[in-house]
Amino acid sequence: RERYEQLSPSEFFYRNREVAGFSNPTRAVYQAVRELVENALDATEMYGLLPDVKIEVGEEADGRVRICVEDNGVGVSALEVPNVFGRVFYGSKYVLRQARGVFGLGVKMAVLYAQLTTGQPVRIRTATRKSPFIYEFDVLIDVERNLPVIRNLRVLRNVDGWHGTRVELLLRGNWQQARRRVEEYIRRTAMITPYATITFRCPQSSLTFERSSSKLPPAPAVGKPHPKGVDVEMLRRMVERCRRGATLAKFLSTHFDGVGPITAQKFCEWAGFDPNMEVKELRVEDLEELAAKMQAYGGWRRPRPITLSPLGEELLIRGVKSVLKPEFATAVTRPPSSYAGHPFIVEVAIAYGGEVPPAEEPILYRFANRIPLLYDEGVDVAKKVVRKIDWSVYKVKMPAPLAVVTHICSTKVPFKGVGKEAVADVPEVERELEMGLRECARRLRRHLSRLERMMEVKRW
Amino acid sequence: RERYEQLSPSEFFYRNREVAGFSNPTRAVYQAVRELVENALDATEMYGLLPDVKIEVGEEADGRVRICVEDNGVGVSALEVPNVFGRVFYGSKYVLRQARGVFGLGVKMAVLYAQLTTGQPVRIRTATRKSPFIYEFDVLIDVERNLPVIRNLRVLRNVDGWHGTRVELLLRGNWQQARRRVEEYIRRTAMITPYATITFRCPQSSLTFERSSSKLPPAPAVGKPHPKGVDVEMLRRMVERCRRGATLAKFLSTHFDGVGPITAQKFCEWAGFDPNMEVKELRVEDLEELAAKMQAYGGWRRPRPITLSPLGEELLIRGVKSVLKPEFATAVTRPPSSYAGHPFIVEVAIAYGGEVPPAEEPILYRFANRIPLLYDEGVDVAKKVVRKIDWSVYKVKMPAPLAVVTHICSTKVPFKGVGKEAVADVPEVERELEMGLRECARRLRRHLSRLERMMEVKRW
Ligand SMILES: Nc1ncnc2c1ncn2[C@@H]1O[C@H](COP(=O)(O)OP(=O)(O)OP(=O)(O)O)[C@@H](O)[C@H]1O
Ligand SMILES: Nc1ncnc2c1ncn2[C@@H]1O[C@H](COP(=O)(O)OP(=O)(O)OP(=O)(O)O)[C@@H](O)[C@H]1O
Ligand SMILES: [Mg+2]
Ligand SMILES: [Mg+2]
């Protein structure tokens, strides 16, 4: 008598689109734009290409909003276009490496929102590098089955050797309200991507951020999991895929980041496991014990940051100066740290005076994996840390012209939700943010003391 | 060269378990308990059964935590047990009716967390009403394929005519830290379910809340969607399932809440559609226009609250008095309202003096669909509303012994995330909360004025 139902992933997010940030007609427009822009930047900078990203928003009759984002990235192979744009939980970023994308959901949410407000497909135009053809597809999502539906496939000769992707959506939303947020999002993105040329056009305004640097930060590499982040399911799968005869020590030293034969031996002795045992003989209870001991062992090498790509202090200061135009700016890139086996790096910058507007609290600009976060400041770990600081200790008296910029990059930023707006207060991350912020605050204090002394000298 | 991957829903939540509230070993224990308790209460009160819920937490050797929740509810049919406990996005609450459950994900997250920390299956014991048998299953989740795996199925004779469900998990987590939160969660649940008998046992403590009322609130009924909440995908599916020959007016009056033949006619005239047209002849662009006009039309009847089950002022005051022991308490149940076609009712209570501890800000107890919300107060709409109020206007001077209780019930509570901890600030909900809170505050002011006058009389 009880009626049970199975929902496909697309059906689930169709019904619960607000948990992915599509909570109202204003926020949905903002989210659609950002999902496309984040994909465009990933598709360029992660492949050694200096990004050229064009964003166009048009207002049509009857409240329709046309959103178009084009990039000069790696493009999407024709065979993959349907799933990439039309199947929830499909993507190429499910590996251990810092990227803006992480869920395999973003562009599908934008396609879904357009489809449920206008019924219109997303229009894709794409070519991979050196492809002799450019492909144009219209894609709809069969929501109940989480499958792509292709319309109007066209193949054109790629005479100019173009490569990249152009994504065009037609949706209904509140562009009037969303515009300011979208402009701010683009402005802040440009602040930390000086190697990208970003142009934005809409009926009311137009912004152009020309590339001010041709130096692309080195792309991060894919890494292996760190032993501190294991769980029983992960071990069970890894062991299942091992060949017969593999020893426990060999298993550990081949599957995990920073574990060599010697470390594997030492761990086994500490944990009370025989390093030469056949790893496939471990039973479930042994895997549980192994996981717990791997999490607890203090002798692992720290996660290596080869999977990360921090902005660096120079880039951060330059971005802060160009956008906020302060009288004083400083930045700190903390050494690599980790939580639950995930490496992360925290970067903090402070801007003071000049054109920074005075306020009762410091103005906070938050970034994570190079994405500007504009919503949910109230539950973000960066806000929590900024509130902890007693600024009078650093000679700053409120109201003050003070801005704080935070950037967290990780193979897994602890986002609180799939809408990627706030970062959870993981203790290790909180601690790193505080250390970075206090270091910047000390430098500000030295600067303000110096100013004070200069003022006194003048008076004599 | 680019490697793409498809994740199953269980694989997605295995990798991103923090977005479902399983963000650390303390929070995970709390979340596992609450997912089981919310299912137990739904399985009883929504079927006219006075709930008896037993919660037991045990600490085993090596940091294992055993969580066991048993109810006297409707049970789960043997054929459904595997999917119900072992398949993400499977459930019976995907209908338009107020319930604690909404995502078809909760118990699977708890099963998943146990499985990834200990490798152990969830142990289920269940019998439906009048079932001659009791079924015992051990269920694991094949995470990569989102399929249940059954171990140890046992069938026993149901000699005592028992009905209900017992769910037992073995996981690793921080019970020491989680205990206080779990106790508070149970205490607040008991505050608003006086018709339930809830017992809680753990190594350190034991709580018993005996039923103080045998009057079960009427269960809500399943409703039809309201025209204000339509979208193009919804219309497209409804039209597809219509039989040939159905007119637009007939379509509207049969598929939507509160739309009769006359209202359907009036709407069609206003919207410029022919009420007698064959609804299956609408093309995608017509559906888009129809959806937009249905959202915009001001002549619909308000959503009927048959799908809702508010607590009521009497129950709310009694619960507040028994738990907070104030000197003064009052409650308001606002009239039904709606947002995006979803009916909702806001209820607010204030408790003052007595054993309410004085504080700089009112202590806020938030509830949604009868679930206590303990985390993420910083982004919850109820907190936003409480902060807006200037309490001095109501003769309350901080610090003050003031507590505020809010309850939002809806066919779709606008939760910010699948972990169900904070409610988004939807304007209609925010407005109702403010109206309810100010009404309670005015009553408090009258009470405080009366006290003032009594004090003055005494001085004479
Ligand atoms: N502009 C683009 N150029 C090249 N590839 C793209 C582009 N946009 C999307 N893709 C591909 O499509 C995949 C799916 O994109 P989608 O936005 O849904 O998920 P994601 O970016 O991987 O993660 P997230 O959900 O966090 O955004 C990406 O992983 C990428 O491989
Ligand atoms: N104790 C129980 N007694 C009877 N049925 C249950 C019980 N627990 C779970 N179920 C059934 O299993 C389904 C799935 O439960 P699950 O917690 O995963 O999802 P849900 O409660 O529907 O939604 P949510 O994810 O919001 O909790 C429920 O819809 C219900 O039909
Ligand atoms: Mg993306
Ligand atoms: Mg549930």
Side-chain angles (χ1 to χ4, degrees):
Chain A
R1 275 202 51 260
E2 194 55 24
R3 290 195 38 250
Y4 296 89
E5 231 185 308
Q6 174 73 48
L7 296 194
S8 72
S10 46
E11 183 70 23
F12 177 82
F13 282 105
Y14 160 60
R15 297 188 189 204
N16 299 294
R17 67 199 76 131
E18 64 287 341
V19 309
F22 288 78
S23 37
N24 58 64
T26 300
R27 181 87 186 257
V29 171
Y30 168 84
Q31 198 74 16
V33 173
R34 70 171 280 206
E35 293 292 358
L36 268 49
V37 170
E38 287 161 26
N39 284 350
L41 288 168
D42 275 350
T44 45
E45 71 176 46
M46 312 236 344
Y47 298 91
L49 299 162
L50 288 169
D52 288 325
V53 181
K54 294 194 194 69
I55 303 151
E56 280 173 51
V57 179
E59 281 179 292
E60 319 244 311
D62 305 333
R64 276 180 167 193
V65 180
R66 185 178 299 272
I67 296 172
C68 182
V69 174
E70 181 175 336
D71 63 66
N72 60 337
V74 284
V76 184
S77 109
L79 291 171
E80 296 291 352
V81 163
N83 285 334
V84 147
F85 294 97
R87 195 154 149 80
V88 170
F89 297 156
Y90 193 84
S92 63
K93 297 166 199 167
Y94 289 133
V95 292
L96 222 58
R97 170 183 55 190
Q98 172 187 329
R100 291 171 184 78
V102 82
F103 297 122
L105 172 67
V107 76
K108 275 76 78 177
M109 286 308 307
V111 172
L112 196 47
Y113 195 83
Q115 194 171 312
L116 65 92
T117 53
T118 62
Q120 295 299 319
V122 62
R123 173 153 296 179
I124 306 300
R125 180 181 160 89
T126 191
T128 51
R129 283 180 286 192
K130 303 210 181 77
S131 166
F133 300 106
I134 295 174
Y135 297 89
E136 288 190 359
F137 287 76
D138 286 357
V139 180
L140 284 164
I141 302 179
D142 176 336
V143 180
E144 288 171 288
R145 296 193 292 161
N146 196 30
L147 290 172
V149 175
I150 305 302
R151 300 268 168 82
N152 305 330
L153 168 57
R154 293 171 60 205
V155 182
L156 310 123
R157 286 216 154 279
N158 188 3
V159 286
D160 303 319
W162 176 70
H163 60 81
T165 306
R166 182 181 182 278
V167 182
E168 186 180 340
L169 295 165
L170 198 60
L171 53 82
R172 298 181 80 103
N174 192 336
W175 174 243
Q176 293 306 332
Q177 300 265 40
R179 179 170 68 92
R180 297 234 181 273
R181 297 283 195 155
V182 169
E183 288 172 350
E184 185 61 20
Y185 174 88
I186 291 168
R187 193 170 294 127
R188 293 188 196 186
T189 295
M191 185 164 145
I192 55 162
T193 48
Y195 48 82
T197 290
I198 302 174
T199 58
F200 167 73
R201 300 273 181 278
C202 75
Q204 300 82 5
S205 62
S206 134
L207 298 168
T208 302
F209 296 93
E210 291 287 345
R211 162 178 305 124
S212 67
S213 151
S214 299
K215 190 154 133 286
L216 204 52
V222 177
K224 289 183 210 163
H226 191 272
K228 268 219 177 285
V230 298
D231 60 69
V232 178
E233 176 68 17
M234 186 196 290
L235 287 180
R236 189 195 58 75
R237 284 182 203 181
M238 286 174 163
V239 170
E240 204 172 69
R241 284 163 206 174
C242 260
R243 47 171 189 73
R244 287 232 153 272
T247 63
L248 176 55
K250 187 93 184 101
F251 168 77
L252 291 172
S253 59
T254 48
H255 283 77
F256 295 98
D257 171 45
V259 182
I262 297 173
T263 314
Q265 282 279 343
K266 281 189 174 170
F267 164 76
C268 287
E269 286 162 24
W270 172 88
F273 280 90
D274 170 15
N276 297 313
M277 73 172 289
E278 163 109 31
V279 74
K280 280 173 119 49
E281 296 203 345
L282 290 164
R283 298 155 305 147
V284 155
E285 294 77 10
D286 304 321
L287 289 182
E288 177 188 359
E289 188 192 354
L290 179 60
K293 293 242 163 89
M294 285 172 77
Q295 288 167 28
Y297 185 58
W300 300 119
R301 202 166 68 202
R302 313 179 96 191
R304 293 176 300 155
I306 58 167
T307 51
L308 303 181
S309 179
L311 299 168
E313 294 171 5
E314 183 191 338
L315 189 154
L316 202 41
I317 289 182
R318 188 142 53 78
V320 164
K321 281 184 168 170
S322 73
V323 174
L324 301 179
K325 301 187 177 61
E327 178 243 327
F328 169 83
T330 188
V332 165
T333 294
R334 293 281 306 160
S337 182
S338 70
Y339 79 94
H342 283 285
F344 71 88
I345 289 171
V346 160
E347 311 185 88
V348 183
I350 274 182
Y352 188 89
E355 293 186 26
V356 180
E360 283 299 331
E361 280 190 311
I363 308 167
L364 177 59
Y365 294 84
R366 298 170 288 138
F367 294 88
N369 281 2
R370 306 184 181 208
I371 300 170
L373 310 181
L374 269 65
Y375 287 86
D376 287 357
E377 194 183 70
V379 282
D380 193 291
V381 60
K383 182 72 173 180
K384 183 180 179 189
V385 170
V386 167
R387 276 201 196 115
K388 264 196 207 172
I389 308 278
D390 175 2
W391 293 95
S392 62
V393 167
Y394 301 98
K395 294 188 176 292
V396 176
K397 202 159 87 29
M398 297 307 180
L402 175 63
V404 173
V405 180
T406 60
H407 179 231
I408 302 159
C409 58
S410 178
T411 46
K412 188 178 169 69
V413 173
F415 286 117
K416 290 184 74 84
V418 293
K420 289 181 201 158
E421 278 303 349
V423 180
D425 55 350
V426 168
E428 294 87 337
V429 174
E430 191 174 333
R431 186 174 153 277
E432 284 297 315
L433 278 167
E434 190 171 344
M435 311 270 271
L437 190 52
R438 291 195 185 279
E439 174 58 30
C440 287
R442 282 192 288 270
R443 294 177 192 175
L444 174 63
R445 180 172 56 196
R446 283 199 286 277
H447 170 81
L448 294 175
S449 308
R450 208 173 306 139
L451 281 185
E452 260 182 12
R453 288 194 300 270
M454 280 169 55
M455 291 298 160
E456 290 173 10
V457 165
K458 277 188 175 170
R459 269 180 233 132
W460 285 43
Chain B
R1 276 200 52 258
E2 193 57 22
R3 287 193 39 248
Y4 296 88
E5 229 184 309
Q6 175 73 47
L7 297 193
S8 72
S10 46
E11 182 70 25
F12 177 81
F13 282 105
Y14 160 59
R15 298 187 190 205
N16 299 295
R17 68 200 76 131
E18 63 288 341
V19 309
F22 288 78
S23 38
N24 59 61
T26 299
R27 182 88 186 260
V29 171
Y30 168 84
Q31 198 74 15
V33 173
R34 70 169 281 206
E35 294 291 359
L36 269 48
V37 171
E38 287 160 26
N39 284 349
L41 289 169
D42 275 350
T44 44
E45 73 177 40
M46 312 234 346
Y47 299 89
L49 299 163
L50 288 169
D52 287 328
V53 180
K54 294 194 194 71
I55 304 151
E56 279 174 51
V57 178
E59 282 181 288
E60 320 246 309
D62 306 333
R64 278 181 166 190
V65 180
R66 185 177 299 272
I67 296 171
C68 184
V69 175
E70 181 174 335
D71 62 67
N72 60 335
V74 285
V76 184
S77 108
L79 291 170
E80 296 292 353
V81 164
N83 286 335
V84 147
F85 293 97
R87 194 154 150 82
V88 170
F89 297 156
Y90 193 84
S92 63
K93 298 167 199 166
Y94 288 133
V95 291
L96 222 58
R97 169 183 56 189
Q98 172 188 330
R100 290 172 186 77
V102 81
F103 298 122
L105 172 67
V107 75
K108 275 76 77 177
M109 287 308 307
V111 172
L112 195 48
Y113 195 83
Q115 193 170 315
L116 65 91
T117 54
T118 62
Q120 296 298 320
V122 61
R123 173 153 294 179
I124 306 300
R125 182 181 160 86
T126 190
T128 51
R129 282 180 287 193
K130 304 211 181 79
S131 165
F133 301 107
I134 294 174
Y135 297 89
E136 284 189 3
F137 287 76
D138 286 357
V139 179
L140 284 165
I141 302 179
D142 177 337
V143 179
E144 287 170 289
R145 296 194 292 161
N146 195 30
L147 290 172
V149 175
I150 306 301
R151 300 266 168 82
N152 305 331
L153 168 56
R154 293 171 60 208
V155 183
L156 310 122
R157 286 218 156 275
N158 188 2
V159 286
D160 303 320
W162 175 69
H163 60 82
T165 306
R166 181 180 183 280
V167 181
E168 186 181 340
L169 295 166
L170 198 62
L171 53 82
R172 298 181 80 104
N174 192 337
W175 175 244
Q176 294 306 330
Q177 300 266 42
R179 178 170 67 92
R180 296 235 179 272
R181 297 283 193 156
V182 169
E183 288 171 352
E184 185 61 20
Y185 174 87
I186 291 169
R187 193 170 293 126
R188 293 187 195 185
T189 296
M191 186 164 145
I192 55 162
T193 48
Y195 47 82
T197 289
I198 303 174
T199 58
F200 167 73
R201 301 272 182 279
C202 77
Q204 299 81 6
S205 62
S206 135
L207 299 168
T208 302
F209 296 94
E210 289 287 346
R211 160 178 307 125
S212 66
S213 152
S214 299
K215 190 153 134 291
L216 204 52
V222 176
K224 288 185 210 161
H226 190 269
K228 270 219 174 285
V230 299
D231 61 68
V232 177
E233 176 68 16
M234 186 196 290
L235 286 179
R236 189 196 58 76
R237 283 181 204 181
M238 286 174 162
V239 169
E240 203 171 72
R241 284 161 204 174
C242 260
R243 49 174 186 69
R244 288 232 154 271
T247 63
L248 177 55
K250 187 92 183 103
F251 169 78
L252 291 173
S253 61
T254 49
H255 283 77
F256 295 97
D257 172 45
V259 182
I262 298 172
T263 315
Q265 282 279 345
K266 281 187 174 174
F267 165 76
C268 288
E269 287 162 24
W270 173 87
F273 279 90
D274 170 13
N276 298 312
M277 75 172 289
E278 163 108 30
V279 73
K280 280 174 119 44
E281 295 202 347
L282 290 164
R283 298 156 306 149
V284 155
E285 292 78 9
D286 304 322
L287 288 183
E288 178 187 358
E289 189 193 351
L290 179 60
K293 294 242 161 89
M294 285 172 78
Q295 288 167 28
Y297 185 58
W300 302 117
R301 201 167 71 203
R302 313 179 97 190
R304 294 177 300 155
I306 58 166
T307 52
L308 303 182
S309 180
L311 299 168
E313 293 170 6
E314 182 192 337
L315 189 154
L316 201 41
I317 289 181
R318 186 143 53 81
V320 165
K321 281 184 167 168
S322 74
V323 173
L324 301 178
K325 301 187 178 59
E327 179 244 326
F328 169 83
T330 188
V332 165
T333 294
R334 293 281 305 161
S337 181
S338 69
Y339 80 93
H342 282 285
F344 72 88
I345 288 171
V346 159
E347 311 185 88
V348 183
I350 274 182
Y352 188 88
E355 292 187 25
V356 181
E360 283 300 330
E361 280 189 311
I363 307 166
L364 178 58
Y365 294 83
R366 299 170 288 139
F367 294 87
N369 281 2
R370 307 184 181 207
I371 300 170
L373 310 181
L374 269 65
Y375 286 86
D376 287 356
E377 194 183 70
V379 283
D380 194 289
V381 61
K383 183 69 172 181
K384 184 180 178 189
V385 171
V386 168
R387 276 201 195 114
K388 263 196 208 173
I389 308 278
D390 174 3
W391 291 95
S392 61
V393 167
Y394 301 99
K395 295 190 174 293
V396 175
K397 201 158 90 27
M398 298 304 180
L402 176 63
V404 172
V405 181
T406 59
H407 180 231
I408 302 160
C409 58
S410 177
T411 46
K412 187 179 169 68
V413 172
F415 286 116
K416 291 183 74 82
V418 293
K420 289 181 201 155
E421 277 304 349
V423 180
D425 55 351
V426 167
E428 294 88 337
V429 175
E430 189 174 335
R431 187 173 152 277
E432 284 297 316
L433 278 168
E434 190 170 344
M435 312 271 270
L437 189 52
R438 290 197 185 278
E439 173 58 30
C440 287
R442 282 191 289 271
R443 294 177 193 176
L444 173 63
R445 180 172 54 196
R446 283 199 286 277
H447 170 81
L448 293 175
S449 309
R450 209 174 307 141
L451 281 187
E452 259 181 11
R453 289 194 299 272
M454 279 168 55
M455 290 297 160
E456 290 173 9
V457 165
K458 278 188 177 172
R459 267 181 234 128
W460 283 45

